[in-house]
């Protein structure tokens, strides 16, 4: 029907250009206008505005659930943060939750960005909640972090020691600066690193501004924090305070194996070559 409608309009437009006695340029302009209006027509199979066509597999799931009596059981996954379908216990339908929220329910936490007060408060809140749910199960803290605020990192470290649940720390990617301290602060014997991960340790840095006396006070605080970090690094790794002070003087990068020999981690999770499907 759409084809015959378009053909009829084109013929009518051509006849009008002949009967009106227009010049050649006028006929061409009128004929082009008729063509543009004709093909601007939207055929009936184009979806209406605001309706997104569903994938064939999802559409079949919706039809299946509709026959079973459940409505809105499956929805399209939102764009943005990766999401997975999750059915809350006791609920009749599933909903999309972001992947990190879903992993929290399995006692898995990711430290994957620069450490600041907001991130520290979020991680501390999750650890406190998981510890209140069950103290017999460990909490897994995956670390791929460039470091950040020393005070915020110490807050996470103190909470790890405050809760009764064991905290298993796993280094994936890079654990630098304060992240290396949190990595070493996991439960003894359960500080792990993947083979290609790296660890970097260095002394704390500051950027004091203002009056001379204020800068002097800030510098004294930074030196005090550094001395505390040296003592805690020494307790966690077994190295002497003199060795730690020397190694923290500049950026000190280590491989996973070197970090294990240094005492920052307890074990490197080697991949079994028999089960390695990447070869």
């Amino acid at each position: 029907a759409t084809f015959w409608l378009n053909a009829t309009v084109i013929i009518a437009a051509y006849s009008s250009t002949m009967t009106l006695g227009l010049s050649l340029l006028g006929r061409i302009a009128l004929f082009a206008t008729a063509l543009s209006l004709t093909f601007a027509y939207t055929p009936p199979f184009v979806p209406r505005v605001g309706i997104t066509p569903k994938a064939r597999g999802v559409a079949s799931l919706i039809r299946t659930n509709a026959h079973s009596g459940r409505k809105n059981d499956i929805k399209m996954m939102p764009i943005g943060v990766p999401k997975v379908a999750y059915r809350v216990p006791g609920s009749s339908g599933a909903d999309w939750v972001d992947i990190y929220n879903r992993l929290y329910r399995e006692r898995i936490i990711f430290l994957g960005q620069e450490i600041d007060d907001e991130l520290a408060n979020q991680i501390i809140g999750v650890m406190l909640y998981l510890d209140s749910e069950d103290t017999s199960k460990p909490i897994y803290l995956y670390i791929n972090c460039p470091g950040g605020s020393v005070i915020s990192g110490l807050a996470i470290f103190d909470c790890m020691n405050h809760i009764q649940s064991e905290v298993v720390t796993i280094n994936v990617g890079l654990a630098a600066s304060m992240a290396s301290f949190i990595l070493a602060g996991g439960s003894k014997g359960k500080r792990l690193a993947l083979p290609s991960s790296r660890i970097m340790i260095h002394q704390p840095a500051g950027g004091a501004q203002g009056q001379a006396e204020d800068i002097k006070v800030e510098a004294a605080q930074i030196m005090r924090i550094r001395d505390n970090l040296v003592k805690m690094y020494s307790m966690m790794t077994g190295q002497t305070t003199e060795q730690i002070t020397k190694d923290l003087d500049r950026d000190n990068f280590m491989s996973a194996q070197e970090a294990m020999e240094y005492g920052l981690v307890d074990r490197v999770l080697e991949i079994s070559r028999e089960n390695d499907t990447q070869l």
Side-chain angles (χ1 to χ4, degrees), residues 104 109-111 113-129 149 151-157 159 182:
Y104 293 160
I109 303 175
F110 273 89
L111 176 57
Q113 64 188 65
E114 185 175 348
I115 302 170
D116 56 16
D117 292 339
E118 182 179 358
L119 179 63
N121 291 336
Q122 292 175 0
I123 292 178
I124 290 171
V126 174
M127 286 195 294
L128 291 174
Y129 173 75
S149 169
I151 303 302
S152 300
L154 287 173
I156 297 175
F157 173 81
C159 184
I182 296 175

Side-chain angles (χ1 to χ4, degrees), residues 53-76:
K54 297 181 176 62
R56 187 174 301 174
V58 175
S60 63
L61 285 174
I62 294 176
R63 287 194 296 271
T64 303
N65 291 329
H67 289 305
S68 63
R70 293 197 301 269
K71 295 182 179 180
N72 299 327
D73 198 21
I74 298 294
K75 301 177 183 178
M76 295 297 293

Side-chain angles (χ1 to χ4, degrees), residues 152-175:
S152 300
L154 287 173
I156 297 175
F157 173 81
D158 287 342
C159 184
M160 292 167 57
N161 291 278
H162 167 70
I163 61 178
Q164 299 181 34
S165 302
E166 289 186 328
V167 179
V168 181
T169 53
I170 304 114
N171 182 22
V172 291
L174 174 66

Side-chain angles (χ1 to χ4, degrees), residues 177-195:
S177 188
M178 202 59 203
S180 68
F181 185 83
I182 296 175
L183 172 66
S187 298
K188 200 67 176 177
K190 298 185 178 180
R191 304 171 301 173
L192 313 175
L194 295 183

